[in-house]
mmCIF file of all heavy atoms in Angstrom:
data_model
loop_
_atom_site.group_PDB
_atom_site.id
_atom_site.type_symbol
_atom_site.label_atom_id
_atom_site.label_comp_id
_atom_site.label_asym_id
_atom_site.label_seq_id
_atom_site.Cartn_x
_atom_site.Cartn_y
_atom_site.Cartn_z
ATOM 1 N N VAL A 230 -2.970 -0.599 0.436
ATOM 2 C CA VAL A 230 -1.957 0.311 -0.128
ATOM 3 C C VAL A 230 -2.449 1.722 0.160
ATOM 4 O O VAL A 230 -3.508 2.144 -0.284
ATOM 5 C CB VAL A 230 -1.832 0.120 -1.650
ATOM 6 C CG1 VAL A 230 -0.734 1.023 -2.209
ATOM 7 C CG2 VAL A 230 -1.568 -1.327 -2.001
ATOM 8 N N PHE A 231 -1.682 2.423 0.997
ATOM 9 C CA PHE A 231 -2.096 3.707 1.512
ATOM 10 C C PHE A 231 -1.307 4.800 0.773
ATOM 11 O O PHE A 231 -0.085 4.937 0.971
ATOM 12 C CB PHE A 231 -1.831 3.767 3.009
ATOM 13 C CG PHE A 231 -2.347 5.007 3.678
ATOM 14 C CD1 PHE A 231 -3.692 5.277 3.775
ATOM 15 C CD2 PHE A 231 -1.459 5.891 4.277
ATOM 16 C CE1 PHE A 231 -4.166 6.418 4.400
ATOM 17 C CE2 PHE A 231 -1.910 7.032 4.927
ATOM 18 C CZ PHE A 231 -3.284 7.299 4.982
ATOM 19 N N ILE A 232 -1.987 5.543 -0.096
ATOM 20 C CA ILE A 232 -1.321 6.529 -0.924
ATOM 21 C C ILE A 232 -1.650 7.906 -0.331
ATOM 22 O O ILE A 232 -2.793 8.353 -0.421
ATOM 23 C CB ILE A 232 -1.752 6.399 -2.378
ATOM 24 C CG1 ILE A 232 -1.435 4.990 -2.897
ATOM 25 C CG2 ILE A 232 -1.088 7.460 -3.246
ATOM 26 C CD1 ILE A 232 -2.005 4.631 -4.232
ATOM 27 N N SER A 233 -0.650 8.503 0.278
ATOM 28 C CA SER A 233 -0.930 9.700 1.079
ATOM 29 C C SER A 233 -0.204 10.940 0.565
ATOM 30 O O SER A 233 1.013 10.884 0.316
ATOM 31 C CB SER A 233 -0.542 9.440 2.512
ATOM 32 O OG SER A 233 -0.728 10.605 3.285
ATOM 33 N N GLY A 234 -0.941 12.014 0.444
ATOM 34 C CA GLY A 234 -0.345 13.333 0.216
ATOM 35 C C GLY A 234 0.280 13.805 1.541
ATOM 36 O O GLY A 234 0.220 13.064 2.535
ATOM 37 N N PRO A 235 0.822 15.013 1.583
ATOM 38 C CA PRO A 235 1.479 15.493 2.807
ATOM 39 C C PRO A 235 0.461 15.753 3.925
ATOM 40 O O PRO A 235 0.024 16.896 4.113
ATOM 41 C CB PRO A 235 2.175 16.782 2.349
ATOM 42 C CG PRO A 235 2.056 16.808 0.852
ATOM 43 C CD PRO A 235 0.897 15.969 0.468
ATOM 44 N N ALA A 236 0.130 14.713 4.640
ATOM 45 C CA ALA A 236 -0.920 14.808 5.697
ATOM 46 C C ALA A 236 -0.294 15.280 6.997
ATOM 47 O O ALA A 236 0.921 15.170 7.198
ATOM 48 C CB ALA A 236 -1.569 13.437 5.883
ATOM 49 N N SER A 237 -1.172 15.771 7.905
ATOM 50 C CA SER A 237 -0.635 16.201 9.200
ATOM 51 C C SER A 237 -0.777 15.136 10.255
ATOM 52 O O SER A 237 -0.332 15.313 11.374
ATOM 53 C CB SER A 237 -1.260 17.507 9.627
ATOM 54 O OG SER A 237 -2.667 17.423 9.555
ATOM 55 N N VAL A 238 -1.442 14.016 9.942
ATOM 56 C CA VAL A 238 -1.487 12.909 10.917
ATOM 57 C C VAL A 238 -0.594 11.780 10.411
ATOM 58 O O VAL A 238 -0.354 11.656 9.211
ATOM 59 C CB VAL A 238 -2.942 12.391 11.119
ATOM 60 C CG1 VAL A 238 -3.856 13.448 11.662
ATOM 61 C CG2 VAL A 238 -3.515 11.815 9.830
ATOM 62 N N ALA A 239 -0.061 10.986 11.349
ATOM 63 C CA ALA A 239 0.858 9.921 10.966
ATOM 64 C C ALA A 239 0.116 8.801 10.235
ATOM 65 O O ALA A 239 -1.051 8.547 10.520
ATOM 66 C CB ALA A 239 1.513 9.356 12.209
ATOM 67 N N PRO A 240 0.777 8.151 9.271
ATOM 68 C CA PRO A 240 0.125 7.059 8.563
ATOM 69 C C PRO A 240 -0.117 5.868 9.498
ATOM 70 O O PRO A 240 0.594 5.719 10.492
ATOM 71 C CB PRO A 240 1.106 6.687 7.456
ATOM 72 C CG PRO A 240 2.427 7.185 7.943
ATOM 73 C CD PRO A 240 2.155 8.351 8.816
ATOM 74 N N PRO A 241 -1.130 5.019 9.167
ATOM 75 C CA PRO A 241 -1.397 3.885 10.050
ATOM 76 C C PRO A 241 -0.325 2.810 9.900
ATOM 77 O O PRO A 241 0.411 2.803 8.917
ATOM 78 C CB PRO A 241 -2.751 3.374 9.557
ATOM 79 C CG PRO A 241 -2.832 3.829 8.135
ATOM 80 C CD PRO A 241 -2.014 5.084 8.027
ATOM 81 N N LYS A 242 -0.277 1.910 10.863
ATOM 82 C CA LYS A 242 0.656 0.783 10.786
ATOM 83 C C LYS A 242 0.068 -0.305 9.893
ATOM 84 O O LYS A 242 -1.157 -0.397 9.744
ATOM 85 C CB LYS A 242 0.848 0.186 12.170
ATOM 86 C CG LYS A 242 1.736 1.034 13.036
ATOM 87 C CD LYS A 242 1.995 0.292 14.317
ATOM 88 C CE LYS A 242 2.952 1.107 15.185
ATOM 89 N NZ LYS A 242 3.056 0.510 16.495
ATOM 90 N N GLY A 243 0.935 -1.132 9.381
ATOM 91 C CA GLY A 243 0.476 -2.348 8.696
ATOM 92 C C GLY A 243 -0.002 -2.117 7.283
ATOM 93 O O GLY A 243 -0.576 -3.013 6.671
ATOM 94 N N VAL A 244 0.246 -0.902 6.720
ATOM 95 C CA VAL A 244 -0.127 -0.655 5.337
ATOM 96 C C VAL A 244 1.123 -0.618 4.466
ATOM 97 O O VAL A 244 2.237 -0.521 4.992
ATOM 98 C CB VAL A 244 -0.836 0.726 5.176
ATOM 99 C CG1 VAL A 244 -2.127 0.756 5.979
ATOM 100 C CG2 VAL A 244 0.085 1.879 5.592
ATOM 101 N N THR A 245 0.922 -0.699 3.162
ATOM 102 C CA THR A 245 2.026 -0.369 2.266
ATOM 103 C C THR A 245 1.902 1.109 1.969
ATOM 104 O O THR A 245 0.918 1.553 1.364
ATOM 105 C CB THR A 245 1.896 -1.197 0.954
ATOM 106 O OG1 THR A 245 2.025 -2.567 1.303
ATOM 107 C CG2 THR A 245 2.979 -0.823 -0.048
ATOM 108 N N LEU A 246 2.832 1.895 2.456
ATOM 109 C CA LEU A 246 2.724 3.354 2.391
ATOM 110 C C LEU A 246 3.404 3.897 1.138
ATOM 111 O O LEU A 246 4.544 3.572 0.844
ATOM 112 C CB LEU A 246 3.413 3.945 3.650
ATOM 113 C CG LEU A 246 3.553 5.459 3.681
ATOM 114 C CD1 LEU A 246 2.188 6.147 3.717
ATOM 115 C CD2 LEU A 246 4.382 5.869 4.897
ATOM 116 N N VAL A 247 2.672 4.683 0.383
ATOM 117 C CA VAL A 247 3.262 5.397 -0.761
ATOM 118 C C VAL A 247 3.020 6.882 -0.514
ATOM 119 O O VAL A 247 1.894 7.320 -0.506
ATOM 120 C CB VAL A 247 2.603 4.960 -2.096
ATOM 121 C CG1 VAL A 247 3.337 5.620 -3.257
ATOM 122 C CG2 VAL A 247 2.592 3.457 -2.238
ATOM 123 N N ARG A 248 4.093 7.630 -0.323
ATOM 124 C CA ARG A 248 3.950 9.060 -0.086
ATOM 125 C C ARG A 248 4.052 9.797 -1.427
ATOM 126 O O ARG A 248 4.941 9.512 -2.212
ATOM 127 C CB ARG A 248 5.077 9.556 0.805
ATOM 128 C CG ARG A 248 4.912 9.198 2.250
ATOM 129 C CD ARG A 248 5.988 9.924 3.059
ATOM 130 N NE ARG A 248 6.183 9.319 4.353
ATOM 131 C CZ ARG A 248 5.475 9.626 5.433
ATOM 132 N NH1 ARG A 248 4.490 10.499 5.336
ATOM 133 N NH2 ARG A 248 5.735 9.041 6.585
ATOM 134 N N VAL A 249 3.131 10.736 -1.612
ATOM 135 C CA VAL A 249 3.177 11.547 -2.824
ATOM 136 C C VAL A 249 2.971 13.004 -2.415
ATOM 137 O O VAL A 249 2.573 13.288 -1.284
ATOM 138 C CB VAL A 249 2.077 11.131 -3.839
ATOM 139 C CG1 VAL A 249 2.300 9.717 -4.341
ATOM 140 C CG2 VAL A 249 0.686 11.282 -3.242
ATOM 141 N N GLU A 250 3.249 13.902 -3.344
ATOM 142 C CA GLU A 250 2.975 15.324 -3.081
ATOM 143 C C GLU A 250 1.878 15.845 -3.978
ATOM 144 O O GLU A 250 0.954 16.460 -3.529
ATOM 145 C CB GLU A 250 4.254 16.129 -3.369
ATOM 146 C CG GLU A 250 5.315 15.930 -2.321
ATOM 147 C CD GLU A 250 5.966 17.225 -1.912
ATOM 148 O OE1 GLU A 250 5.878 18.203 -2.643
ATOM 149 O OE2 GLU A 250 6.596 17.238 -0.854
#
Side-chain angles (χ1 to χ4, degrees):
V230 183
F231 186 65
I232 301 171
S233 176
S237 50
V238 299
K242 285 186 177 171
V244 298
T245 297
L246 172 64
V247 185
R248 285 188 198 274
V249 296
E250 287 223 341

